[in-house]
Amino acid sequence: MPESRPKSFSRSRAGATPVYSLYGEEGQAPALDGLHLESIAERSRLHNWEIQPHRHGALVQLLLIERGRVLVRMDEDERELRAPALVWVPALAVHGFRFAPETEGLVVTLDQGRLRDLLDHLPDLLESLAEPRLVPLERGATVTRALFAVGHGLREDYAGAAAWRGPALDHAVALLATQAARFGAAEPATHAAGEGRALQHLARYREQVERHYRRQPPVAELAAPLGITPTQLNRLCRRHLHCSALAVLHQRVLLEAKRELGYTNLMVRQIADGLGFADPAYFTRFFLKHTGRAPTDWREHGGGR
């Protein structure tokens, strides 16, 4: 039977590009360990094999396409790839996919903070991963077989509970990201100059948040190294991330609070102190406002797990 081909995207509709954690899950936080794996079919089949253009505020994605075809929208460019292929999507890149029915492969979604932790000793590698990759692979080549072997092993460890699962996941993710970085970057996106600068400012703002969120400094302090005013930063965040600059900081603080409540034995007052809250009662009000539950209740009932 001849292989079906994906149709082209319908062009942009009115309104801003959606910002998701995972596609179709607007407003939800990423997994607490910063890693999510699923097959291409698991989500795409639910949407008639089409993932409309959207962006992720703080997540990167790697797609390993093993069988089938896909039309990739990356910013304003479209390109068709036939398996085997690799797609790397950096944070904030507008991207969408139209898969031929029954396309097979793996989608790895990774919190940008976890990627930074894994590769912080390799700043040039991290910098190269700020660019998208759309890479056709040579079927049967050693590097292609190795990539898919790592991907299959990662999926088994992700679904399992074997000893040293965490280090095994980190090792596999670092291997896949390193290999993605080795491939040439995609053609530069056709952003207007101003749009490109805006996304650079947002990426640098997220870096500032990641470095300093435990102090919860004023937005003006975080904006200063970017060379823009807090008002300009707020405008950029609302336009591209659909929230204020302060909300970006609060989302990061909240994620860390959930991680420490879920995966440590620290007392609530210790977590509050470590996240820059002057008093535990203020931390409790903050957590309640954003989750609808007190920290102790969230911990006792398993949180978001």
Side-chain angles (χ1 to χ4, degrees), residues 18-66:
V19 179
Y20 293 130
S21 288
L22 298 174
Y23 182 75
E25 299 180 9
E26 191 164 13
Q28 296 188 17
L32 296 189
D33 62 2
L35 177 66
H36 182 269
L37 265 72
E38 63 187 13
S39 72
I40 285 172
E42 280 177 69
R43 192 168 301 264
S44 302
R45 189 182 286 121
L46 299 176
H47 299 277
N48 198 28
W49 298 94
E50 179 174 358
I51 304 299
Q52 285 287 341
H54 63 287
R55 72 165 95 221
H56 304 293
L59 303 175
V60 299
Q61 286 190 312
L62 173 71
L63 281 73
L64 293 175
I65 302 159
E66 203 161 4

Side-chain angles (χ1 to χ4, degrees), residues 62 86 88 115 118-119 121-122 125-126 128-129 133 147 170-183:
L62 173 71
L86 173 150
W88 175 264
L115 179 68
L118 291 174
L119 302 176
H121 60 297
L122 298 167
L125 177 57
L126 270 175
S128 74
L129 289 172
R133 266 80 168 154
L147 270 174
D170 284 345
H171 178 66
V173 167
L175 277 175
L176 290 173
T178 300
Q179 192 59 58
R182 286 176 168 173
F183 293 110

